[in-house]
Amino acid sequence: MRRLFILLCLLVSAVAQAGNNPFEVKPDFLPVGKAFVFTSQRLDSGETQLYWQIAEGYYLYQQRLKLDGLADAHKPPLPEGEAHSDEFFGAQQVYRQGLELKIPAGASGKIKVGWQGCADAGLCYPPQSLEVDLGGSPALAGNTPQAADQALASSLQQQSLGWSLLLFFGLGLVLAFAPCSLPMLPILGGLVVGSGASPRRGLALASSYVLSMALVYAAMGVIAALLGSNLQAWLQQPWVLGSFAALFVLLALPMFGFFELQLPAFLRDRLEDASRQRQGGSLIGCGILGALSALLVGPCMTAPLAGGLLYIAQTGDLVFGGLALFALGLGIGLPLLLLVTVGNRFLPKPGPWMNLLKGAFGFMFLGTAIYMLRPVLDASLWMGLWGALGLVLAYATWQQRAIAGRLLHLFGAGALLLGLWGSLLVVGAAGGSDNLWQPLQVYSGGNVASAATADEAFHTVKTPAELQGALDNAKAQGQWVLLDYYADWCVSCKIMEKQVFGQATVMQALSDVRLLRLDVTADNADSRELLNRYKVPGPPSLLWIGPDGEERRSQRITGEVDAAAFLQRWTITREAR
């Protein structure tokens, strides 16, 4: 603990020396390069796209934009800006959020692009300029505005091996608290607490678990990059998920005292002689469960994982990409390891509470099994299982009131609340509800129309020919297109279908957008070609196709987002057109 405290002090000191002291009250102005992120890109049409990503609270002057060295015939018209009264320059036209200019394909050579901007808080930056080569290849001709996964892939290409591994380790620390990673907590906690291991033995068990999980995570990332979405789809097959769920139900039973998991006698006797002085669970068993947990959370597509896979696909450097994903896995496992090892030091001495804790982990195992079955179960049945688990947990909690002591009333109130909520879930599921947080909404009929409208608004595409026909038609009409990569086994896809596209405000904002749902549920040639068309690692992924038929790659959404984040991304995309 002293070492952790010293490390914390050093981190605080480093942050303060870097000028980010959280106790110092002063305006926090962004560096000019972050306030106005300028990028250029040579499009397939031959045009050169100039783009300024403008931070919130900052603006660019229209009259300060310069394109020196560009013939007048090739100068693009400046879009109308926002009226602004400036203290120094008087009435001005300014741009906020973003600015896009397109230089015609006939222009060539090098030009000097200049601009100047200010912050609303009162700071004006000196004029900026940058040389742009208009004769570059249709690929990236400069720094392109990038989505999160694309930015990570570019960062890997630009950084050394050490910095790249550190970057992915830090991303893993963040992802450890993501919903996809949370089912790993009861697995690891049940292993350490359920085995009755000493602190040192518990550290060894948790380390074996985390190391195996990270190794499988790295291998799975490399294989997924080579096979596209095949691995992701394979891991979501009903028999695979059913087998894993059955395994976690089996692991839950010993926590309730039904039996003890043991190796066959002839193996147990030999291992007992080799580890007579050791107490606790098996290192090999922990390693196996660590590998299984990686298979559980691996198919959950996130921007960091997609960035690692994109880098591997672009460069073919499997060793580098595998190491990066290995570091990501270690980052995901470290908080879990600390929680079940260092956290154990703050627990009271052994006693009846350990049986309670083992029972709690048993229910977590059962919850993990239900969580895994989400892609293959009907939504109302899935919710009904959660309700049934809540009722059983309420009964178990009520039975423990006798040993609760001073916590008697807390246990009693908790049991009543769990029982009430479990009952609501069961009643809602019986009526066809699939909303865990509003189980009785199905009886009001308030959200049926909006859900049906959202579903009807999307046109489902299953073949590349259908996609190309829809894109050609939209381009001919000058229409924006939203591509929604979807699969029946993708849990996040179904969540976004309700929480994003089930919202009236979202569908209203997309009223003039052609909505295409690319169904890649089946593991076949059509699904692979649809994914490879735009180098998509897997669902959920949302792509914006402009009226010119080109993807706005910087605004791609990979992974689950809420309605507010989706609308914000669409606003930026629309204003930057």
Side-chain angles (χ1 to χ4, degrees):
M1 292 303 297
R2 288 196 297 269
R3 294 176 182 176
L4 290 175
F5 178 75
I6 294 173
L7 178 60
L8 179 62
C9 292
L10 291 175
L11 289 174
V12 172
S13 176
V15 171
Q17 292 177 6
N20 295 323
N21 189 340
F23 302 103
E24 183 177 359
V25 180
K26 65 178 182 179
D28 189 13
F29 294 107
L30 293 174
V32 63
K34 292 185 178 181
F36 313 102
V37 181
F38 172 74
T39 57
S40 64
Q41 179 182 11
R42 183 75 180 275
L43 303 178
D44 292 338
S45 61
E47 298 175 297
T48 300
Q49 179 192 58
L50 307 180
Y51 186 78
W52 287 264
Q53 181 70 45
I54 306 172
E56 186 70 27
Y58 297 80
Y59 55 89
L60 281 178
Y61 292 110
Q62 184 189 68
Q63 295 182 1
R64 298 285 171 172
L65 290 171
K66 296 181 180 180
L67 300 174
D68 296 338
L70 185 64
D72 292 340
H74 292 152
K75 288 186 177 179
L78 298 179
E80 183 178 355
E82 175 184 318
H84 179 74
S85 179
D86 192 275
E87 179 181 357
F88 303 100
F89 303 115
Q92 293 283 322
Q93 291 282 316
V94 299
Y95 300 110
R96 296 180 182 273
Q97 302 297 328
L99 170 64
E100 180 186 54
L101 300 177
K102 287 186 178 180
I103 300 177
S108 61
K110 295 182 179 181
I111 64 172
K112 187 176 182 181
V113 181
W115 66 91
Q116 185 179 13
C118 295
D120 289 329
L123 174 67
C124 278
Y125 296 91
Q128 305 294 311
S129 63
L130 187 68
E131 190 176 74
V132 175
D133 185 1
L134 302 181
S137 64
L140 301 182
N143 293 326
T144 309
Q146 299 171 325
D149 58 329
Q150 191 182 20
L152 283 173
S154 299
S155 176
L156 281 173
Q157 294 174 342
Q158 298 170 3
Q159 301 294 337
S160 65
L161 174 62
W163 281 111
S164 296
L165 297 183
L166 185 61
L167 170 65
F168 268 82
F169 181 78
L171 291 171
L173 292 176
V174 177
L175 292 178
F177 302 98
C180 292
S181 302
L182 291 180
M184 291 163 45
L185 177 59
I187 302 173
L188 184 54
L191 285 173
V192 177
V193 177
S195 65
S198 63
R200 180 173 297 182
R201 184 64 175 171
L203 177 61
L205 294 173
S207 299
S208 175
Y209 176 96
V210 171
L211 183 61
S212 298
M213 183 267 297
L215 286 171
V216 174
Y217 211 89
M220 185 172 58
V222 173
I223 297 173
L226 294 174
L227 301 180
S229 64
N230 293 5
L231 182 64
Q232 187 185 15
W234 183 83
L235 289 174
Q236 297 292 331
Q237 295 296 320
W239 71 269
V240 176
L241 293 177
S243 299
F244 285 171
L247 173 63
F248 288 115
V249 171
L250 182 65
L251 291 173
L253 296 180
M255 299 294 172
F256 301 125
F258 284 93
F259 59 86
E260 293 185 6
L261 283 177
Q262 293 184 351
L263 293 172
F266 71 95
L267 288 178
R268 186 174 66 250
D269 294 340
R270 293 184 180 181
L271 292 176
E272 186 176 334
D273 294 336
S275 57
R276 191 174 299 276
Q277 302 301 322
R278 298 181 181 179
Q279 295 180 351
S282 167
L283 293 176
I284 297 178
C286 288
I288 293 174
L289 285 178
L292 291 175
S293 69
L295 295 175
L296 165 65
V297 303
C300 184
M301 186 55 59
T302 59
L305 178 57
L309 300 182
L310 179 61
Y311 171 78
I312 299 171
Q314 289 177 344
T315 65
D317 192 344
L318 303 182
V319 175
F320 194 104
L323 288 175
L325 291 177
F326 176 75
L328 181 74
L330 288 180
I332 294 175
L334 180 60
L336 303 176
L337 187 149
L338 293 177
L339 185 61
V340 299
T341 53
V342 178
N344 280 343
R345 297 185 179 183
F346 300 97
L347 296 176
K349 295 181 179 181
W353 68 270
M354 293 191 67
N355 291 327
L356 292 177
L357 192 57
K358 289 178 63 176
F361 279 119
F363 279 104
M364 290 183 185
F365 275 117
L366 294 177
T368 302
I370 297 176
Y371 177 87
M372 295 185 67
L373 292 173
R374 178 63 183 91
V376 296
L377 291 181
D378 179 76
S380 58
L381 176 59
W382 188 70
M383 190 178 80
L385 289 177
W386 281 113
L389 181 63
L391 288 173
V392 176
L393 179 57
Y395 173 78
T397 304
W398 184 265
Q399 291 294 106
Q400 299 301 322
R401 291 178 305 122
I403 62 173
R406 289 177 294 179
L407 298 178
L408 172 64
H409 298 294
L410 181 61
F411 268 63
L416 291 175
L417 290 175
L418 281 171
L420 176 61
W421 191 253
S423 301
L424 293 177
L425 290 178
V426 172
V427 172
S433 176
D434 54 7
N435 191 331
L436 285 171
W437 308 114
Q438 295 178 319
L440 301 183
Q441 188 181 42
V442 65
Y443 296 106
S444 67
N447 202 39
V448 175
S450 63
T453 303
D455 186 62
E456 294 171 357
F458 278 89
H459 174 68
T460 300
V461 173
K462 293 186 177 182
T463 67
E466 291 178 339
L467 173 61
Q468 188 60 52
L471 292 176
D472 291 342
N473 186 270
K475 183 177 180 180
Q477 299 182 22
Q479 190 177 18
W480 280 87
V481 178
L482 173 63
L483 301 183
D484 175 20
Y485 279 87
Y486 171 91
D488 290 340
W489 41 259
C490 173
V491 176
S492 295
C493 298
K494 297 184 178 183
I495 293 176
M496 292 179 62
E497 186 177 8
K498 296 178 183 178
Q499 298 184 357
V500 177
F501 301 117
Q503 300 295 320
T505 53
V506 173
M507 299 309 298
Q508 183 177 359
L510 299 175
S511 59
D512 58 345
V513 177
R514 179 164 300 195
L515 306 178
L516 302 180
R517 178 159 289 161
L518 278 59
D519 191 341
V520 293
T521 301
D523 180 18
N524 54 32
D526 287 337
S527 294
R528 290 191 290 273
E529 189 171 344
L530 288 174
L531 290 165
N532 290 333
R533 170 71 182 264
Y534 293 102
K535 306 301 181 185
V536 173
S541 295
L542 300 173
L543 284 63
W544 298 104
I545 308 299
D548 57 357
E550 300 289 337
E551 183 197 356
R552 301 305 188 257
R553 183 63 175 84
S554 61
Q555 304 305 331
R556 177 183 295 193
I557 299 175
T558 302
E560 184 180 331
V561 297
D562 57 19
F566 176 84
L567 288 174
Q568 182 181 21
R569 187 67 61 88
W570 168 228
T571 300
I572 295 174
T573 305
R574 182 181 55 203
E575 292 180 351
R577 72 172 101 178

